[in-house]
């Protein structure tokens, strides 16, 4: 799949699941030799089990996510048509990770640590794109698209980190035998409220 051995060991099952989905399904419908950032992101949004979809769905309504997906598909079409020379082998070989996507995956290791995760998930890739590298045409298009819906690096990072913190808290609560079920529910609600308050504060800023 064109993954480097160094990166491969940091790929989560969730990320690998999306990459396999691209090769087994998306590649069959759309012929391409490289998995671009556009293809990766819209494929992750097609799989509602992905971490990227989970994170965005806690902030955006389904219709907005669908609109982002469709815009990313359109961007990929335009990018493909803009290539001066058509590849005669287009779609005949297993697609590789594009240079840009590989760079984003590598850079995403920073956000893996900062969000309290252990491996690269699909939301970390978008964080990497939104964070910097503004010289790339991919960044300009993707950053502008997500900003239209209020999704900046700061907002996405906050949601990702708070969601993981809440999940870790819930896991610890469920492993504590002396805690009553009502108390666990109460703590879970508190974490949800904390996350909501955090997102509201980010939007205000």
């Amino acid at each position: 799949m064109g993954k480097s051995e160094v990166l491969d060991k940091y790929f989560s099952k969730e990320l690998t699941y999306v990459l396999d989905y691209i090769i087994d399904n998306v590649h069959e419908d759309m012929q391409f030799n490289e998995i671009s950032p556009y293809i990766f992101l819209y494929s992750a949004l097609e799989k509602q089990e992905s971490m990227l979809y989970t994170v965005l769905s806690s902030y955006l309504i389904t219709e907005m996510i669908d609109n982002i997906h469709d815009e990313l598909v359109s961007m990929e079409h335009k990018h493909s048509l803009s290539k001066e020379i058509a590849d005669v082998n287009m779609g005949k070989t297993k697609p590789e990770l594009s240079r840009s996507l590989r760079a984003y995956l590598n850079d995403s290791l920073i956000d893996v640590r900062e969000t309290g995760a252990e491996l690269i998930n699909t939301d970390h890739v978008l964080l990497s794109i939104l964070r910097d590298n503004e010289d790339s045409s991919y960044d300009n298009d993707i950053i502008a698209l997500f900003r239209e819906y209020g999704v900046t690096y700061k907002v996405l990072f906050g949601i990702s980190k708070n969601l993981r913190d809440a999940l870790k808290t819930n896991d610890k609560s469920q492993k504590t035998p002396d805690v009553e079920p009502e108390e666990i529910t109460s703590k879970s609600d508190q974490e949800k409220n904390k996350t909501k308050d955090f997102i509201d504060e980010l939007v205000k800023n």
Side-chain angles (χ1 to χ4, degrees), residues 11-186:
F11 283 11
S12 65
K13 289 182 179 179
E14 179 259 350
L15 178 66
T16 302
Y17 170 70
V18 170
L19 290 174
D20 288 342
Y21 167 73
I22 293 173
I23 290 176
D24 296 337
N25 297 278
V26 181
H27 182 241
E28 185 176 335
D29 297 331
M30 296 178 60
Q31 302 300 300
F32 51 83
N33 286 344
E34 288 188 336
I35 302 175
S36 70
Y38 302 128
I39 294 172
F40 176 81
L41 290 175
Y42 75 63
S43 298
L45 294 181
E46 286 177 7
K47 303 307 292 179
Q48 297 186 11
E49 305 90 339
S50 75
M51 194 64 181
L52 178 58
Y53 189 94
T54 300
V55 170
L56 288 177
S57 65
S58 68
Y59 182 67
L60 302 174
I61 62 174
T62 302
E63 183 179 358
M64 290 180 176
I65 297 177
D66 290 343
N67 289 341
I68 291 174
H69 168 275
D70 294 345
E71 282 295 324
L72 288 167
V73 172
S74 177
M75 287 177 182
E76 170 59 25
H77 282 307
K78 290 178 182 177
H79 178 73
S80 298
L81 291 173
S82 68
K83 293 180 180 178
E84 294 182 2
I85 301 175
D87 188 341
V88 294
N89 294 316
M90 184 68 73
K92 295 181 180 179
T93 60
K94 182 180 289 189
E96 301 285 322
L97 300 179
S98 71
R99 182 179 298 180
S100 295
L101 181 56
R102 193 185 301 276
Y104 293 139
L105 285 163
N106 186 64
D107 291 344
S108 69
L109 289 171
I110 298 173
D111 297 299
V112 169
R113 293 189 293 270
E114 295 296 325
T115 57
E118 297 179 359
L119 298 170
I120 303 172
N121 285 277
T122 49
D123 58 316
H124 294 127
V125 180
L126 180 56
L127 279 169
S128 178
I129 294 173
L130 298 179
R131 178 163 27 85
D132 50 18
N133 302 321
E134 294 183 356
D135 292 334
S136 169
S137 60
Y138 286 114
D139 285 284
N140 293 334
D141 288 347
I142 295 173
I143 290 175
L145 171 62
F146 280 91
R147 278 181 177 170
E148 284 182 27
Y149 294 89
V151 180
T152 62
Y153 173 82
K154 184 179 179 182
V155 169
L156 186 66
F157 179 87
I159 300 171
S160 295
K161 189 174 189 311
N162 275 269
L163 181 59
R164 286 181 171 86
D165 289 345
L167 290 172
K168 287 179 181 178
T169 300
N170 289 341
D171 287 343
K172 288 180 181 178
S173 298
Q174 290 171 3
K175 292 177 183 178
T176 305
D178 297 332
V179 179
E180 294 296 325
E182 293 81 2
E183 188 175 346
I184 294 176
T185 303
S186 176

